Amino acid sequence: MLDDHDDIHPLFKGAPGTTGFRKLHKRIIRETREAIDRYGMVDRGGPRAKWLVCLSGGKDSYTLLAALTELQWRGLLPVDILACNLDQGQPNFPATVLPEFLARMGVPHRIEYRDTYSVVVDKVPAGRTFCALCSRLRRGNLYRVAREEGCSAVVLGHHRDDILETFFLNLFHGGKIATMPPKLLNDEGDLLVLRPLAHVAEADCDRFARAMDYPIIPCDLCGSQDGLQRQAIKALLDGWEAKAPGRRAKMFSAMMQVRPSHMLDPALFDFAGLAADGVPIVANSPDIPILR
């Protein structure tokens, strides 16, 4: 059992003692630490930071909180953590679940109530999805809470699959190559937005949260709507993964190995300045070889 030692954090009490779970747990912690280090999420030479860790009650945010808490517990993450749940006023939302869970686990937290649900259902036309407006209102409130609490970063539970899905949403529907970055500065320039689970697979988050028996709260607002473009992308990726296991990991690896000189954006690479043997290349020259 993971809790055989006295120094285990309450978040891991009762963890399964199976070899499979131990490997899963170690993988999540390792990949979370890799993302934090790879993308410079912690300024280890500066003052101790305070992170607002957003907790929705879903499998991803529970995994995020557990991973960050363990790294902090082991002295590997020199930041203060404040868990925050934004109660958006959804009907039948179990408002006592998260505060009771966080208090029982000894996690510093703040529960913020803002009825954004009424705004969303009032403003979004019938048949349209709520996600865009809902997330915008949620993000604005979380930024406000972070400032009030003196936090330097808002930390979200988006995982590897969220990032891949967003890439294909932008590709197919937005006409651009872009996704959720693991580290982002907000428009006002005063808060970082961090995604420490950037390298963690959604399936691992699901297995971990279920194994730990965390009290999962489903999203009945957007989760109840059919035909979301993101669900279509998820189904597409599931199909690719079923036909070629490891496809998701390969695509994600490709996103970390971008070659601007082999893309088509002149803002990222100076194609006009390329020259052969000191002779400037003329656009549309019939002598320019084409790489296939």
Side-chain angles (χ1 to χ4, degrees):
M1 297 289 289
L2 283 176
D3 58 352
D4 286 344
H5 304 288
D6 294 335
D7 65 345
I8 195 72
H9 193 276
L11 272 168
F12 290 90
K13 293 290 185 182
T18 64
T19 300
F21 181 81
R22 288 179 181 274
K23 290 181 178 179
L24 171 67
H25 167 246
K26 289 181 180 179
R27 182 165 63 250
I28 290 173
I29 298 301
R30 182 187 72 250
E31 291 173 345
T32 303
R33 188 180 180 189
E34 285 175 354
I36 290 172
D37 291 342
R38 181 184 183 96
Y39 304 112
M41 296 185 186
V42 177
D43 180 4
R44 299 186 182 275
R48 187 177 180 89
K50 184 178 182 181
W51 286 3
L52 188 77
V53 178
C54 302
L55 191 67
S56 66
K59 64 184 186 307
D60 310 327
S61 61
Y62 278 121
T63 302
L64 172 69
L65 179 65
L68 295 182
T69 299
E70 169 148 337
L71 288 172
Q72 182 198 54
W73 187 260
R74 301 298 178 189
L76 300 173
L77 182 63
V79 303
D80 295 323
I81 292 173
L82 178 67
C84 178
N85 170 250
L86 178 64
D87 181 346
Q88 296 180 262
Q90 297 178 27
N92 303 316
F93 181 77
T96 62
V97 169
L98 284 172
E100 289 177 356
F101 171 82
L102 293 167
R104 186 168 67 251
M105 297 299 164
V107 176
H109 62 278
R110 172 171 168 174
I111 307 297
E112 181 74 7
Y113 179 80
R114 283 291 185 277
D115 184 10
T116 63
Y117 173 84
S118 297
V119 177
V120 170
V121 296
D122 178 62
K123 299 295 184 182
V124 177
R128 301 290 296 274
T129 58
F130 299 138
C131 295
L133 180 58
C134 179
S135 62
R136 189 160 62 248
L137 293 172
R138 180 171 62 248
R139 188 69 58 87
N141 277 289
L142 291 172
Y143 284 175
R144 173 182 54 79
V145 172
R147 294 182 182 108
E148 291 174 358
E149 295 290 345
C151 297
S152 59
V154 173
V155 187
L156 306 175
H158 295 127
H159 44 65
R160 183 196 71 183
D161 295 75
D162 287 324
I163 292 173
L164 275 173
E165 289 161 16
T166 302
F167 173 84
F168 282 103
L169 281 169
N170 280 318
L171 181 66
F172 294 157
H173 301 287
K176 58 185 177 182
I177 303 293
T179 189
M180 298 172 173
K183 181 180 180 181
L184 174 72
L185 187 64
N186 71 335
D187 291 340
E188 293 78 9
D190 64 334
L191 290 170
L192 291 172
V193 178
L194 306 177
R195 297 181 172 95
L197 296 186
H199 292 180
V200 179
E202 180 179 17
D204 282 352
C205 293
D206 183 62
R207 284 193 289 266
F208 179 81
R210 290 182 185 278
M212 292 303 304
D213 198 27
Y214 291 144
I216 304 298
I217 301 174
C219 177
D220 294 326
L221 180 60
C222 59
S224 64
Q225 292 181 286
D226 296 326
L228 294 177
Q229 292 175 344
R230 184 173 291 273
Q231 296 304 318
I233 294 295
K234 184 184 292 289
L236 177 67
L237 295 178
D238 285 343
W240 287 349
E241 187 71 22
K243 293 179 180 178
R247 179 67 60 84
R248 273 189 170 95
K250 185 68 69 175
M251 289 188 292
F252 189 80
S253 176
M255 294 173 65
M256 295 189 290
Q257 302 180 66
V258 178
R259 298 182 179 180
S261 64
H262 286 57
M263 299 296 286
L264 286 83
D265 190 344
L268 297 180
F269 186 80
D270 184 16
F271 294 100
L274 280 178
D277 297 326
V279 180
I281 293 178
V282 179
N284 300 321
S285 170
D287 297 327
I288 299 177
I290 299 176
L291 298 179
R292 300 187 184 276

